[in-house]
Amino acid sequence: LGMAAVPVGTFPGFMTEGTLLYRRGEYGKALACFDNALKLRAEDKHCLVARSKCYLRLGDTENSLKDAEASLQNDKTFPKGLYQKAETLYTMGDFEFALVFYHRGYRLRPELQKFRLGIQKSQEAIVNCIGSPSSVKLENKEDLCFISRQAESKKANQKLQIKLTKDQQWTKKQEPQRNPKVERQLLGELYADKAYLEKLLKDEDLMKSSTKKGIKVADMVLSGIAYLDTRTEFWQQQKPIYARVRERKLRQQRWIRDKKRKPAEVARYIVKSMEDIDMLLTGGSPEESCKKAEHVLKTIQGWSDDEVPNKNELIGNLHSCIGNAQLEMGQMEAALQSHKMDLEFARQNDLPDAISRALDNIGRVYARIGKFQEAIDTWEEKIPMAKSSLEKTWLFHEIGRCYLELDKAEAARNYGEKSLQSADEEGDVEWQLHASVLVAQAQEKLKDYRSAIMNFEKALEKAKLVHDDPAQKAIITALDDVSRSFIEDLKERGRE
């Protein structure tokens, strides 16, 4: 086997599967899917970014950075690649470089909130690193990370020591301007030791003396302080990563007290909260997601309209999140009410995208509880709002499926054909499969057996393409049934 074995499957198939596994938190399995996809299309930038994200979640920052950089190879302005490179550098503790790439992305796509947040967290982290960033020489080395900054700081401390030993100027204030409160927080019990050592520095006679072994006391004291400084620095670099949760909680409590909230803080709170709500739902914790959304909704309703830009849009969005969580928990009536609230807010404020979203969700709930006609009415109202072929594909498919449930086979077939047409435009094999099955089932009910067999066979080809074994088995069974009905029908007509 001289060549690397070509994986069995399609590029879109591997991408879809990898994305699903990544969302479920199965990063190792997702990584394997993206590896296969890249064997089929070596330089696909979207797939490189996807694999980089897996590496980053698995703690392999080196490969994460390699893939992020490879995704920018042919297109330096690829926003996802820039963001992924910045995120990786940030995780590596390379805040200055991360900042450069967040800025680059922000200049290209200022409407993307994530670049703004990236700039903010990098700046916070840089400020959190003791001393100004200028004390860290920036060399454009790809592998510059935590360790290099630690080394820089040690060098700086050594220089400081040498200079002081030469000049014997103990009384000079040699420590950089630091915030004692922050230091106390970071050093904990060690803070008292540092204060003690700094007090010793002021004792000139002691500083000039040496120990029995001839070591200058001054050197010992300074090296002690230098050690504590590097610890402070290290903890401060770490701090943005783990101290954020607690700080956020404190900040939120503070806002609820101080009525004057800064627009930037409000925006940050909202973005962060919406991310959390979404992550909890996709991560399989609908109860938590629902609680969080209800809490945020209550908080925002308590704020004035000038404090929260597009407040009504946001309230609708939160009702939608609550509805999705309730649907997951099986609370159908409650979900229906929440999505109807979303629709009401969207209509009052004339928000077409939100209207479309709400109609989509209301239809889903109706279909799930078996109210198929209500689902059809809701979804048919949404048709003119559907933007992409992909959105039309599943919308037509769902409506067709409901007509089939209601035994309206002709309408089901028409919608199935529309769905298939959109799926072909989109080039989406999985939806081509679903739509072909729907059309075939409708034709079978209409006793158009010949066409039904043809469409089931088409569907079978698609199922093989995307390696959907359960679908293959189901279609083969369906084909047997239709063929049997077809033969019965022929015999019947022969007798007549």
Side-chain angles (χ1 to χ4, degrees), residues 40-256:
L40 297 171
R41 284 191 205 165
E43 288 174 11
D44 186 272
K45 56 187 182 180
H46 292 279
C47 188
L48 283 163
V49 166
R51 189 169 72 175
S52 172
K53 282 159 81 173
C54 288
Y55 277 130
L56 194 56
R57 285 300 181 104
L58 294 165
D60 183 348
T61 47
E62 195 181 332
N63 276 314
S64 174
L65 191 56
K66 265 190 205 147
D67 276 354
E69 285 174 341
S71 78
L72 295 163
Q73 194 68 47
N74 302 320
D75 176 7
K76 294 275 177 275
T77 62
F78 177 44
K80 285 182 177 166
L82 287 169
Y83 182 70
Q84 189 51 25
K85 183 168 179 180
E87 284 285 274
T88 305
L89 288 165
Y90 180 85
T91 307
M92 291 163 88
D94 235 341
F95 309 123
E96 288 91 355
F97 273 133
L99 185 58
V100 170
F101 288 98
Y102 286 126
H103 265 302
R104 203 167 286 177
Y106 181 62
R107 274 202 303 277
L108 292 161
R109 299 290 300 277
E111 77 283 4
L112 292 180
Q113 187 73 28
K114 59 185 183 182
F115 284 120
R116 238 201 329 270
L117 285 172
I119 291 173
Q120 218 166 332
K121 71 179 180 186
S122 302
Q123 285 171 341
E124 245 173 66
I126 291 168
V127 170
N128 274 333
C129 293
I130 285 276
S132 67
S134 62
S135 68
V136 180
K137 285 205 293 293
L138 282 185
E139 297 169 52
N140 199 351
K141 287 204 190 103
E142 296 310 325
D143 57 359
L144 181 79
C145 69
F146 234 10
I147 296 90
S148 63
R149 180 169 302 115
Q150 294 262 257
E152 286 287 351
S153 113
K154 279 206 191 86
K155 250 189 285 179
N157 272 316
Q158 283 160 3
K159 275 185 214 137
L160 179 78
Q161 251 170 287
I162 295 160
K163 183 175 149 255
L164 281 166
T165 330
K166 275 191 203 134
D167 308 351
Q168 302 279 305
Q169 294 168 321
W170 312 124
T171 46
K172 281 229 171 115
K173 210 165 176 222
Q174 84 285 357
E175 68 269 15
Q177 289 300 302
R178 294 207 179 94
N179 178 343
K181 202 165 124 206
V182 174
E183 263 192 302
R184 181 175 290 128
Q185 243 177 339
L186 289 162
L187 283 172
E189 286 116 65
L190 294 177
Y191 183 75
D193 301 317
K194 182 153 190 271
Y196 173 71
L197 290 173
E198 282 174 344
K199 211 164 109 193
L200 288 183
L201 271 186
K202 298 198 173 84
D203 182 337
E204 291 190 35
D205 293 332
L206 179 65
M207 287 303 102
K208 286 176 185 154
S209 64
S210 301
T211 65
K212 283 188 184 129
K213 292 198 176 130
I215 300 166
K216 281 213 171 87
V217 174
D219 288 350
M220 283 170 66
V221 172
L222 278 166
S223 68
I225 290 174
Y227 165 75
L228 291 173
D229 282 344
T230 53
R231 294 321 296 156
T232 312
E233 178 185 20
F234 177 73
W235 284 319
Q236 267 197 298
Q237 286 176 320
Q238 291 291 74
K239 180 170 167 280
I241 296 151
Y242 67 74
R244 220 168 245 155
V245 182
R246 185 166 165 275
E247 281 182 358
R248 207 164 48 237
K249 284 204 177 110
L250 290 173
R251 254 209 315 271
Q252 284 165 24
Q253 288 161 6
R254 221 174 32 243
W255 293 340
I256 293 158

Side-chain angles (χ1 to χ4, degrees), residues 312-472:
N312 286 328
E313 192 175 337
L314 193 60
I315 289 174
N317 198 339
L318 284 161
H319 281 299
S320 174
C321 294
I322 293 168
N324 288 332
Q326 288 164 331
L327 184 64
E328 285 298 308
M329 292 189 274
Q331 301 170 2
M332 298 303 173
E333 274 312 307
L336 197 56
Q337 286 318 312
S338 294
H339 290 307
K340 282 183 172 170
M341 297 271 278
D342 180 25
L343 184 59
E344 202 177 311
F345 271 94
R347 287 204 164 123
Q348 279 169 8
N349 297 286
D350 193 26
L351 303 164
D353 284 351
I355 293 174
S356 178
R357 168 187 71 207
L359 289 170
D360 167 21
N361 287 322
I362 291 168
R364 276 176 211 272
V365 183
Y366 277 136
R368 190 82 76 85
I369 54 180
K371 292 191 169 177
F372 298 113
Q373 192 54 54
E374 284 91 334
I376 291 168
D377 298 342
T378 309
W379 276 331
E380 285 184 334
E381 190 184 335
K382 180 185 153 79
I383 293 172
M385 302 175 189
K387 290 202 170 97
S388 63
S389 305
L390 192 59
E391 197 176 357
K392 286 182 187 143
T393 300
W394 60 254
L395 189 56
F396 293 148
H397 177 273
E398 299 304 289
I399 295 173
R401 183 77 32 239
C402 287
Y403 273 123
L404 198 60
E405 293 285 348
L406 293 171
D407 253 341
K408 297 186 175 171
E410 193 135 356
R413 184 194 60 200
N414 294 342
Y415 270 110
E417 281 165 354
K418 280 182 173 178
S419 175
L420 188 54
Q421 191 188 334
S422 298
D424 288 339
E425 277 169 31
E426 186 64 33
D428 189 304
V429 182
E430 287 188 26
W431 278 107
Q432 289 167 352
L433 160 63
H434 299 318
S436 303
V437 169
L438 174 61
V439 172
Q441 287 172 322
Q443 286 162 335
E444 185 182 357
K445 279 202 171 172
L446 292 165
K447 295 195 161 64
D448 179 359
Y449 299 118
R450 202 168 261 150
S451 308
I453 290 171
M454 208 173 71
N455 277 306
F456 273 130
E457 282 175 343
K458 259 191 215 160
L460 188 56
E461 278 167 36
K462 303 290 181 195
K464 283 177 183 162
L465 258 181
V466 293
H467 302 289
D468 189 336
D469 293 329
Q472 287 183 47

